[in-house]
Amino acid sequence: MNELLFDPETHRKAGRLLGELLANYERDLSKPPGFGQIDRDAMRVIMTEPLPEEGRSLEELFQEFRDVVMPNSTHVAHRRFLPYVMPSPNGISAFADALSSTLNQNCNLWTLSPAANAIEQRVISWFHELFSFPEESGGIITSGGSMANLTALAIARDTYLGKAARTEGLQGRTSPLRLYVSDQVHNCIDKAAVILGIGLNHVRHIPCDAQFRMRMDLLKEAVLQDRREGFSPFCVVGSAGTITTGAIDPLEELADFCGEEGLWLHIDGAYGALTILSERRRAPLLPAGRAHSLSLDPHKFLFAPLEAGCVLVRRAKDMRTTFSFVPTYLSMFSDPDFLNYAEYGPQLSRSFKALKVWWSLRAFGRRAYAKAIDDLCDLALYMAQRIQAEPELELLAPVTLNAVCVRCRNLSDVQNERVLARLLSEGVAFLGRAEVRGKFSLRACFMNLRTTRDDVDRILEEMIRIGQEERTA
Ligand SMILES: Cc1ncc(COP(=O)(O)O)c(C=O)c1O
């Protein structure tokens, strides 16, 4: 047998070592977080090792992973890891990822991935159903929300430009395209605007109301003003879950306005769209189904590990207009039951990410997700209530989803930054940093399936204690 392959006994041994490691990993997560304590000598050994001439045994590799890689990794699954919209992965996905690598399907042409193709189509159509997207809609699994948003905005731009999109791009235009977003939008939209040649001077950041939702009156004014001045408004991006506070823009009003004005409505639902799985939380998200495109992230509220994003597009044919290039070496048999996903997005070679999304939903079902989402959003509400009852703490924004922005009252921004740093260095919790109306904020984002009210109580007690120490330091 070729040296690069495993015989059946080695496969079994590797499986046992992996199973043991995963079981122990779960046990080790109950230890104090200890974030940020890196063994720099061990890291230097890794960074300077010469290319190995000979291979090592499985036991050695697993031992090294346990002794060096794991202790120097950020334990995102720890119950007090709360800085980002980044979940602790669900139980099934690690196995789905292993199987996806085993089959190594190339999800570009259906002939290279028939079952994966059926699975990706089904997953996308479940998402269509959740938001009542019409029959002719399309979609594709992406690496994450940033790629989903970039994909959607490329399609929006090209639909606006028509045939010139492919031949001239933006080169021949005298009237610059204009994109409208709120001042709370995730910066990957700005990045996409730069990549797509729109330029930041043509992204208008519309101020928000007291709930951090885009102000419709100011959006209307901006579009009218731009039309008067000879610009070309083409797209509005609404957020279903803004990155800092989790606010949801007025999606119904955005859909009405974009319909009246002939503008493409894209919704960045990378953070919050999948909270539609909870019946208690679906109402404000339902109008997202009126958008021309919608991003959502299974690697957030489906608790799939990185990477798994998704974009839904109202008319599948608009995706092909942007992305379908079929040279002879890629032309393949077409079939009415299957799609060549290479024609629906920017990538050619694509891994079988749909498996972990499909298995996540099939292993646990919608009801388990609804409960997990509700529990985490309720935890955020609990934290907000406790903060409001503490005179030493200040809640900086209303809680819509699962993010809480908080700071110590009567401390400066710099002192609050120190509170954040000490929570981390003293092993209490890893919280995030944010800016809310010009004030520095600590931010707890509850995406972790192990976090409890006791963790919230402990974090707040420690925040108050450290805040008092900083005040008198
Ligand atoms: C609202 C929003 N949009 C986009 C993104 C980017 O998504 P990703 O990290 O999957 O690229 C995030 C990430 O947190 C987000 O919260």
Side-chain angles (χ1 to χ4, degrees):
M1 181 172 275
N2 184 293
E3 276 185 81
L4 298 185
L5 296 174
F6 280 0
D7 60 31
E9 193 39 50
T10 314
H11 268 299
R12 278 189 206 102
K13 188 159 52 160
R16 278 194 302 273
L17 286 165
L18 176 64
E20 208 174 294
L21 190 140
L22 290 179
N24 292 340
Y25 182 62
E26 186 64 41
R27 185 196 61 199
D28 291 345
L29 282 174
S30 58
K31 291 183 184 157
F35 304 115
Q37 290 155 9
I38 302 164
D39 179 347
R40 288 184 186 272
D41 291 338
M43 296 301 94
R44 225 161 278 125
V45 170
I46 291 178
M47 289 191 266
T48 54
E49 188 198 2
L51 179 72
E53 198 56 45
E54 300 297 333
R56 289 178 183 230
S57 72
L58 266 178
E59 285 83 357
E60 278 178 286
L61 294 177
F62 272 87
Q63 186 70 38
E64 183 181 59
F65 189 84
R66 256 193 314 269
D67 294 349
V68 182
V69 180
M70 285 177 72
N72 290 292
S73 294
T74 303
H75 292 295
V76 302
H78 190 279
R79 59 187 203 281
R80 281 191 240 126
F81 175 88
L82 308 164
Y84 302 112
V85 196
M86 201 182 151
S88 49
N90 65 39
I92 195 75
S93 297
F95 298 95
D97 270 350
L99 293 180
S100 146
S101 297
T102 305
L103 290 184
N104 200 28
Q105 297 293 278
N106 199 334
C107 301
N108 51 9
L109 307 178
W110 76 269
T111 42
L112 302 185
S113 50
N117 200 282
I119 288 168
E120 184 157 355
Q121 287 192 53
R122 193 62 207 142
V123 164
I124 300 277
S125 61
W126 281 337
F127 293 150
H128 285 152
E129 282 163 23
L130 280 174
F131 292 93
S132 307
F133 265 68
E135 184 84 351
E136 64 275 18
S137 302
I140 190 166
I141 302 283
T142 63
S143 56
S146 304
M147 276 308 293
N149 288 327
L150 177 66
T151 303
L153 292 181
I155 298 166
R157 179 197 62 180
D158 293 359
T159 305
Y160 183 84
L161 295 177
K163 283 204 167 59
R166 210 162 258 206
T167 50
E168 291 296 316
L170 293 168
Q171 308 280 25
R173 289 188 66 82
T174 49
S175 165
L177 263 54
R178 283 256 153 129
L179 175 66
Y180 304 83
V181 302
S182 89
D183 61 11
Q184 297 295 308
V185 81
H186 193 279
N187 102 305
C188 69
I189 301 287
D190 293 313
K191 212 183 209 182
V194 172
I195 295 168
L196 295 171
I198 291 159
L200 288 181
N201 286 348
H202 301 288
V203 181
R204 296 208 51 180
H205 292 87
I206 309 295
C208 286
D209 64 15
Q211 265 75 47
F212 298 91
R213 304 171 336 145
M214 194 189 306
R215 273 187 52 186
M216 289 304 300
D217 56 331
L218 298 181
L219 170 66
K220 288 175 189 173
E221 246 174 56
V223 171
L224 280 180
Q225 182 196 19
D226 282 352
R227 287 206 199 283
R228 268 197 314 272
E229 293 178 6
F231 293 103
S232 299
F234 82 106
C235 176
V236 179
V237 177
S239 300
T242 57
I243 179 65
T244 301
T245 70
I248 299 173
D249 280 333
L251 305 183
E252 195 80 64
E253 286 98 316
L254 282 174
D256 289 342
F257 175 69
C258 289
E260 286 155 20
E261 289 288 328
L263 298 171
W264 182 286
L265 174 60
H266 172 65
I267 305 226
D268 177 7
Y271 178 173
L274 280 171
T275 57
I276 200 169
L277 290 164
S278 150
E279 261 148 33
R280 273 171 58 199
R281 293 188 155 75
R282 63 198 293 259
L285 295 161
L286 284 173
R290 294 179 61 196
H292 296 85
S293 52
L294 168 67
S295 302
L296 44 93
D297 257 4
H299 69 204
K300 296 191 168 69
F301 271 116
L302 280 192
F303 307 94
L306 301 169
E307 301 168 344
C310 178
V311 60
L312 308 180
V313 180
R314 188 158 212 84
R315 287 190 314 194
K317 76 180 178 59
D318 293 336
M319 305 179 78
R320 292 170 55 96
T321 303
T322 293
F323 294 113
S324 176
F325 288 75
V326 188
T328 312
Y329 53 87
L330 291 177
S331 57
M332 263 294 161
F333 313 102
S334 60
D335 185 290
D337 284 336
F338 295 100
L339 301 175
N340 287 325
Y341 276 106
E343 295 179 67
Y344 290 79
Q347 275 180 272
L348 179 56
S349 291
R350 297 176 65 240
S351 66
F352 186 9
K353 293 187 177 67
L355 181 60
K356 63 185 156 193
V357 182
W358 190 58
W359 262 18
S360 292
L361 286 162
R362 294 188 85 236
F364 306 113
R366 191 199 58 81
R367 225 159 350 141
Y369 277 108
K371 178 164 182 342
I373 290 164
D374 283 339
D375 286 350
L376 290 168
C377 293
D378 288 347
L379 213 45
L381 288 171
Y382 170 72
M383 187 178 202
Q385 280 159 5
R386 282 229 37 204
I387 292 165
Q388 282 173 312
E390 290 290 350
E392 302 205 22
L393 300 178
E394 182 183 3
L395 182 69
L396 293 170
V399 170
T400 307
L401 297 174
N402 60 337
V404 182
C405 292
V406 57
R407 63 185 260 141
C408 293
R409 255 186 231 284
N410 305 324
L411 287 192
S412 67
D413 281 358
V414 174
Q415 287 169 316
N416 268 292
E417 288 219 35
R418 273 209 295 271
V419 175
L420 176 69
R422 284 185 56 188
L423 285 172
L424 183 60
S425 66
E426 293 176 22
V428 178
F430 193 165
L431 301 191
R433 27 185 316 132
E435 189 186 308
V436 181
R437 295 211 174 84
K439 282 185 175 175
F440 178 82
S441 166
L442 288 77
R443 176 171 167 282
C445 187
F446 294 96
M447 297 284 320
N448 197 298
L449 299 164
R450 297 165 179 87
T451 312
T452 64
R453 285 185 173 210
D454 287 346
D455 293 309
V456 172
D457 293 342
R458 171 86 199 283
I459 290 168
L460 294 181
E461 280 156 23
E462 293 292 321
M463 226 184 126
I464 292 168
R465 174 187 64 81
I466 297 172
Q468 285 165 349
E469 287 175 11
E470 287 298 323
R471 198 170 297 127
T472 53

